[in-house]
């Protein structure tokens, strides 16, 4: 399919394009295919479809301006592609940071609960049996609580 030419093949290749950078060469080919004034209606159909389908799927959330031709669409994409990519990376980093903080907070709470239970258990054992042997009283690696006691 990559070597096929024609408007239908370009439509399918545009449909499969996942990155903005992949769309630009396809638009160049489409501009060549539809350069004749007799293809003006088809150009308008492609412009509307690109705005409604391709841009949305690529995650372009800003308001898409009205275009008078495929060359305008191509120019806008070429000008803005790097800017959008940087925005996506920045958004992804913010989301990752929030998720990391949330995971860290949850693990910290769990670790604190485990240490608290261990501390209370040691205090109860010490009050019941007196001085505890070193292997019982010594700090040990804290393991996550499983919710069940095995004896």
């Amino acid at each position: 399919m990559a070597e096929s030419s024609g408007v239908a093949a370009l439509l399918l290749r545009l449909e499969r394009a996942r990155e903005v950078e992949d769309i630009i060469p396809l638009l160049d080919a489409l501009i060549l295919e539809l350069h004749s004034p007799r293809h003006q209606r088809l150009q308008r159909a492609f412009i509307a479809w690109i705005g409604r389908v391709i841009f949305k799927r690529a995650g372009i959330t800003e308001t898409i301006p009205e275009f008078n031709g495929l060359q305008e669409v191509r120019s806008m994409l070429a000008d803005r592609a790097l800017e959008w990519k940087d925005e996506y990376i920045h958004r992804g980093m913010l989301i990752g940071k929030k998720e990391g903080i949330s995971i860290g907070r949850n693990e910290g709470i769990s670790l604190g609960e485990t240490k608290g239970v261990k501390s209370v258990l040691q205090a109860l054992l010490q009050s019941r049996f007196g001085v505890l042997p070193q292997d019982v009283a010594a700090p040990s690696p804290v393991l996550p609580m499983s919710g069940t006691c095995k004896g």
Side-chain angles (χ1 to χ4, degrees):
M1 177 63 70
E3 297 171 11
S4 298
S5 62
V7 176
L10 289 170
L11 173 68
L12 292 173
R13 290 170 63 197
L14 277 167
E15 179 67 33
R16 292 181 180 153
R18 295 290 172 224
E19 300 290 329
V20 175
E21 296 88 4
D22 298 335
I23 296 171
I24 293 172
L26 296 173
L27 284 176
D28 289 337
L30 193 60
I31 290 166
L32 288 174
E33 285 284 331
L34 302 177
H35 72 281
S36 171
R38 68 186 170 113
H39 294 299
Q40 189 172 13
R41 288 181 63 189
L42 190 53
Q43 281 188 34
R44 293 224 179 274
F46 265 101
I47 291 168
W49 178 75
I50 289 168
R52 290 188 188 118
V53 177
I54 301 298
F55 284 7
K56 300 293 185 214
R57 186 181 57 221
I60 300 167
T61 58
E62 66 185 49
T63 304
I64 306 300
E66 289 291 321
F67 296 108
N68 292 319
L70 288 169
Q71 186 61 45
E72 286 183 18
V73 175
R74 191 242 183 257
S75 296
M76 189 273 297
L77 275 176
D79 291 343
R80 303 290 308 274
L82 288 176
E83 183 181 323
W84 285 328
K85 193 171 196 170
D86 289 343
E87 285 177 27
Y88 299 147
I89 290 169
H90 181 71
R91 283 187 214 157
M93 290 173 64
L94 289 175
I95 291 168
K97 184 177 179 180
K98 286 180 184 177
E99 287 178 10
I101 289 170
S102 176
I103 290 169
R105 182 176 293 125
N106 291 339
E107 288 180 6
I109 289 169
S110 177
L111 183 63
E113 288 173 351
T114 302
K115 285 183 175 183
V117 168
K118 181 180 177 187
S119 177
V120 168
L121 182 58
Q122 283 183 335
L124 287 172
L125 288 170
Q126 192 166 5
S127 70
R128 174 73 171 103
F129 300 108
V131 178
L132 299 173
Q134 182 63 26
D135 59 337
V136 175
S140 61
V142 177
L143 301 173
M145 301 273 297
S146 66
T148 61
C149 295
K150 296 180 181 174

